[in-house]
């Protein structure tokens, strides 16, 4: 790929243009490095001071979140737990459905049906996250509220959330990761060599056995990549769930009104100031940490696939 | 016999899951259209919301969205294409290539809230641009850069090496070869990346809320058109979020319909150009 074209006469006009072009492209390429570098630097520079001012224990391992009280407390334990729990549940609900849909598209569905469903899945992936939030608020919340009323009828201790709770947020997230996981795992399944399938069938295995014993294991790296990307999307989503999840800081239970790392930033950044604002950056730093872990895992998978 | 039943059950589950996904999608689209189509009138698209005049409209937000799209693309297209050219044509295989590729991939994975926070402090405070369309566009530049870089890179990879050797052997200098041979052949891929970027920009809200703010007025004429760049302005998606939090659901659904239409157009165009690229690949 790398065609060498060297300058012969060094003061030639063409030569100057060539050198300049190469220099400009190199600078362009380093914009990405510069961007990631400065984002990391800024997140650390803005997020760390609060950690030391308040104390790591009081911020990361305390559950009381009273940022605007007379004596403010900034424990983000429940917020962190909510993000982890919400992402895990969304992945547990969304991934199986997405995987089976991918199997259906790649192995079972007739070509004409795939031709209809695939663009539809891509459309689902392109819908802005706020639209999902709007739908969650208008459709899902009333449904979940009905369920909640039935479940906790007569309960005196339960704080009713009106449907804006962890469960609703998890369902919205599950729907949102669906298209990502479907399309990536579908291409992974399609990339499995057809000899594997035909030999398995020739040995007497049924189609279903072939799918689950041969094709899916062979497509495993691609499927894992799809799941990791889904996790990344779920943990970083803010706007879709900020109104759907309620917004009180509570222990993450399905019918509790909760606050995620992302929604804490979105809903409080508008009015926060001083130490409160710094703590929001600490929350951003925690989120950034999670995302970097996800990215490193992804990078490892990609490198392994290259080999 | 047992195996047949088991297979049947599993197949049934697969059909069920696929059916569920499709119904869900159809449901989402139909619901948004039914709820929102009523608010999308000519006046909704061409006026600005005003309590005094009693109008509800998103004209200002449409203009803001166009501003952000154009500003972002003007900045990001040269950088993205340049970066892809360097990766594919100049760099060979070195450590810095892996670093550029890793950071590009990382950028693609960073959530938009983080971009919003970073844009607010870096472009807004450190560079002193405040809440403005320019701050928003610069923030989005970082966000959609991977889309442009990757799609251009894919397209460049698809150009056969014989084109390169042919051009260089005929005496073309490298940049001349890239400009006249490689870039035109890679055009469908580049356009795909640009369209995807537009889709992402139109749908973005978290990264813009803290950087571009939420202004909804139309720019003044003449010099005002230029000044607008330094003023705050909420795009359609941001306005959707704001209307939603103020419980103005009619407006929210109206904007949702507009956004949905844009997404459909974007996907349609992407499909066309991706097909072109695939056709070129097969040659």
């Amino acid at each position: 790929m790398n065609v060498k074209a060297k300058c012969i006469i060094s003061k030639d006009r063409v030569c100057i243009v060539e050198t300049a072009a190469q220099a400009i492209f190199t600078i362009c390429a380093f914009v990405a490095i510069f961007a990631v570098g400065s984002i990391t630097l800024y997140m650390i520079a803005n997020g760390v001071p609060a950690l030391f001012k308040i104390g790591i224990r009081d911020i990361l391992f305390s559950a009381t979140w009273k940022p605007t009280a007379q004596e403010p407390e900034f424990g983000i334990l429940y917020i962190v737990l909510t993000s982890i729990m919400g992402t895990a549940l969304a992945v547990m609900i969304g991934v199986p459905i997405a995987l089976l849909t991918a199997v259906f598209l790649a192995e079972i569905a007739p070509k004409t049906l795939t031709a209809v469903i695939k663009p539809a899945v891509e459309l689902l992936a392109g819908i802005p996250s706020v639209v999902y939030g709007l739908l969650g608020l208008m459709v899902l919340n009333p449904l979940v509220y009905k369920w909640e009323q039935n479940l906790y009828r007569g309960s005196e201790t339960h704080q009713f959330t009106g449907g804006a709770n962890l469960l609703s947020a998890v369902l919205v997230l599950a729907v949102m990761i669906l298209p990502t996981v479907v399309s990536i795992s579908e291409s992974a399944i399609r990339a499995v060599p057809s000899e594997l399938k035909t030999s398995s069938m020739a040995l007497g295995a049924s189609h279903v056995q072939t799918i689950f014993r041969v094709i899916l294991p062979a497509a495993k790296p691609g499927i894992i990549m799809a799941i990791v990307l889904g996790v990344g999307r779920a943990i970083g989503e803010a706007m879709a769930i900020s109104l759907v999840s309620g917004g009180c800081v509570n222990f993450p239970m399905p019918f509790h009104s909760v606050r995620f790392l992302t929604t804490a930033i979105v809903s409080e950044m508008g009015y926060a100031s001083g130490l409160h604002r710094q703590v929001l950056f600490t929350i951003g730093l925690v989120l950034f940490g999670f995302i970097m872990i996800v990215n490193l895992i992804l990078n490892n998978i990609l490198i392994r696939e290259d080999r | 016999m047992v195996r047949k039943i088991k297979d049947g059950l599993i197949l049934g589950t697969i059909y069920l899951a696929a059916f569920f996904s499709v119904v869900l999608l159809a449901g989402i689209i139909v619901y948004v259209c039914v709820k929102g189509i009523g608010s999308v009138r000519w006046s909704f698209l061409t006026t600005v919301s005003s309590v005094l005049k009693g109008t509800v409209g998103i004209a200002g937000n449409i203009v803001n969205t166009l501003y952000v799209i154009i500003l972002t693309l003007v900045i990001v297209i040269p950088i993205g294409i340049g970066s892809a050219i360097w990766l594919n044509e100049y760099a060979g295989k070195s450590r810095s290539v892996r670093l550029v590729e890793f950071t590009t991939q990382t950028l693609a994975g960073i959530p938009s809230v983080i971009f919003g926070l970073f844009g607010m402090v870096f472009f807004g405070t450190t560079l002193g641009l405040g809440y403005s369309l320019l701050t928003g566009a610069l923030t989005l530049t970082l966000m959609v850069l991977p889309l442009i870089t990757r799609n251009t890179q894919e397209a460049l990879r698809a150009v056969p090496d014989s084109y390169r050797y042919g051009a260089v052997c005929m005496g073309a200098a490298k940049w001349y070869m890239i400009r006249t041979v490689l870039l035109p052949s890679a055009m469908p891929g580049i356009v795909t990346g640009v369209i995807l970027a537009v889709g992402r920009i139109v749908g973005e809200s978290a990264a813009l809320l803290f950087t571009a703010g939420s202004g909804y007025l139309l720019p003044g004429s003449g010099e005002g058109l230029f000044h607008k760049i330094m003023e705050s302005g909420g795009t359609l998606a941001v306005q959707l979020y704001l209307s939603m939090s103020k419980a103005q659901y009619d407006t929210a659904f109206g904007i949702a319909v507009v956004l949905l239409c844009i997404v459909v157009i974007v996907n349609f165009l992407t499909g066309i150009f991706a097909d072109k690229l695939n056709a070129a690949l097969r040659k």
Side-chain angles (χ1 to χ4, degrees):
Chain A
M1 257 331 134
N2 199 11
V3 182
K4 288 252 159 41
K6 280 208 174 129
C7 304
I8 301 165
I9 314 157
S10 58
K11 278 189 183 163
D12 189 3
R13 201 185 131 261
V14 175
C15 189
I16 294 169
V17 172
E18 288 298 313
T19 323
Q22 178 161 7
I24 290 171
F25 295 143
T26 317
I27 293 168
C28 287
F30 281 75
V31 168
I33 300 180
F34 169 75
V36 172
S38 47
I39 290 175
T40 314
L41 218 70
Y42 263 79
M43 289 316 293
I44 292 173
N46 285 291
V48 168
L51 272 181
F52 287 110
K53 267 184 214 161
I54 301 165
I56 293 176
R57 242 189 61 209
D58 285 341
I59 211 168
L60 291 181
F61 301 105
S62 150
T64 353
W65 175 258
K66 285 183 196 153
T68 47
Q70 201 70 40
E71 277 173 34
E73 285 187 71
F74 299 100
I76 62 169
L77 182 65
Y78 282 170
I79 303 180
V80 177
L81 285 181
T82 300
S83 265
I84 295 172
M85 184 78 113
T87 307
L89 286 176
V91 167
M92 273 184 324
I93 297 171
V95 165
I97 297 174
L99 271 187
L100 291 177
T101 308
V103 167
F104 177 77
L105 285 178
E107 283 292 316
I108 296 169
K111 262 192 182 159
T112 44
L113 201 55
T114 314
V116 179
I117 299 178
K118 260 204 105 168
V121 171
E122 277 157 23
L123 188 63
L124 201 56
I127 293 178
S129 49
V130 268
V131 176
Y132 283 107
L134 180 64
L135 287 167
L137 196 64
M138 300 302 283
V139 183
L140 208 54
N141 279 359
L143 284 178
V144 172
Y145 187 41
K146 263 186 202 151
W147 195 10
E148 186 185 17
Q149 279 173 321
N150 283 331
L151 214 59
Y152 290 96
R153 183 168 294 151
S155 159
E156 278 170 16
T157 48
H158 183 72
Q159 273 193 331
F160 282 93
T161 58
N165 49 33
L166 180 69
L167 183 64
S168 300
V170 162
L171 292 176
V172 170
L173 288 178
V175 173
M176 288 190 66
I177 61 172
L178 207 65
T180 317
V181 183
V182 169
S183 53
I184 298 172
S185 40
E186 195 217 337
S187 22
I189 292 171
R190 275 190 198 281
V192 174
S194 59
E195 299 96 80
L196 283 180
K197 185 181 167 187
T198 43
S199 356
S200 161
M201 302 282 264
L203 285 168
S206 70
H207 192 193
V208 171
Q209 280 175 324
T210 309
I211 290 173
F212 285 93
R213 300 278 170 80
V214 179
I215 297 178
L216 286 186
K220 206 168 139 199
I223 291 173
I224 292 176
M225 187 166 100
I227 297 171
V228 173
L229 279 174
V231 169
R233 180 142 194 217
I235 206 165
E237 185 47 55
M239 304 311 256
I241 51 173
S242 76
L243 295 179
V244 178
S245 62
C248 304
V249 179
N250 274 319
F251 186 78
M253 293 292 278
F255 289 101
H256 279 176
S257 166
V258 291
R259 180 162 285 187
F260 290 77
L261 289 168
T262 49
T263 60
I265 299 171
V266 169
S267 54
E268 292 179 31
M269 205 38 141
Y271 63 85
S273 60
L275 193 57
H276 184 191
R277 191 163 184 271
Q278 289 182 335
V279 175
L280 291 184
F281 273 96
T282 311
I283 294 179
L285 184 64
V286 174
L287 177 64
F288 189 66
F290 278 127
I291 286 296
M292 288 316 267
I293 294 171
V294 169
N295 266 320
L296 285 176
I297 295 173
L298 195 66
N299 197 46
N300 273 343
I301 298 172
L302 288 178
I303 288 174
R304 225 180 294 159
E305 233 175 79
D306 266 358
R307 280 183 201 151
Chain B
M1 194 58 203
V2 176
R3 195 176 109 184
K4 267 200 174 155
I5 296 171
K6 218 170 133 190
D7 280 11
L9 275 179
I10 293 174
L11 267 183
T13 326
I14 294 177
Y15 275 108
L16 200 69
F19 180 73
F20 175 78
S21 303
V22 173
V23 167
L24 192 73
L25 170 81
I28 288 174
I29 293 171
V30 170
Y31 186 82
V32 170
C33 288
V34 167
K35 286 283 251 184
I37 209 81
S39 355
V40 185
R41 286 190 212 91
W42 187 242
S43 62
F44 181 68
L45 297 176
T46 52
T47 53
V48 171
S49 288
S50 157
V51 183
L52 275 181
K53 292 183 202 152
T55 52
V56 175
I58 54 170
N61 303 111
I62 294 177
V63 173
N64 288 337
T65 311
L66 290 177
Y67 264 101
V68 172
I69 291 175
I70 294 169
L71 280 175
T72 310
L73 289 184
V74 164
I75 308 168
V76 79
I77 289 177
I79 299 178
I81 294 181
S83 163
I85 291 177
W86 183 79
L87 282 172
N88 216 49
E89 306 299 326
Y90 286 94
K93 276 208 166 178
S94 66
R95 241 204 171 143
S96 44
V97 171
R98 252 178 290 145
L99 191 60
V100 172
E101 281 185 336
F102 172 70
T103 47
T104 307
Q105 181 213 319
T106 308
L107 271 186
I110 291 178
S112 41
V113 203
I114 303 268
F115 280 113
L117 287 181
F118 172 72
M120 182 172 76
V121 263
F122 184 70
F123 297 119
T125 313
T126 309
L127 298 188
L129 299 171
Y131 282 100
S132 66
L133 288 171
L134 186 61
T135 310
L138 287 169
T139 311
L140 289 190
T141 298
L142 303 181
M143 206 172 85
V144 298
L145 180 64
L147 278 176
I148 309 273
T149 307
R150 274 191 198 159
N151 278 289
T152 310
Q153 218 188 336
E154 288 290 309
L156 284 175
R157 264 188 212 144
V159 180
D161 270 350
S162 54
Y163 284 30
R164 296 181 176 81
Y165 297 131
V168 171
C169 285
M170 279 157 75
K174 191 157 182 178
W175 163 234
Y176 187 79
M177 180 265 288
I178 292 169
R179 193 158 48 94
T180 54
V181 178
L182 294 190
L183 286 184
S185 326
M187 208 33 102
I190 297 174
V191 175
T192 309
V194 172
I195 298 172
L196 286 174
V198 170
R200 184 102 200 255
I201 295 169
V202 168
E204 187 47 53
S205 43
L208 285 172
L209 195 59
F210 306 128
T211 52
S214 56
Y216 57 88
L217 299 176
L218 283 169
S221 52
E223 249 178 61
L225 281 175
F226 191 72
H227 279 301
K228 182 76 186 165
I229 294 174
M230 295 311 295
E231 286 163 20
S232 108
T235 62
L236 285 169
V238 172
Q239 185 59 42
L240 169 48
Y241 178 75
L242 294 173
S243 316
M244 198 161 85
S245 27
K246 287 183 214 147
Q248 300 162 338
Y249 297 120
D250 289 340
T251 317
F253 273 109
I255 300 174
V257 170
V258 176
L259 286 178
L260 213 58
C261 291
I262 298 176
V263 172
V264 170
I265 295 170
V266 163
N267 278 26
F268 178 70
L269 291 178
T270 324
I272 291 179
F273 284 100
D275 281 350
K276 264 193 189 164
L277 185 66
N278 281 336
L281 272 177
R282 258 183 246 121
K283 263 180 213 164

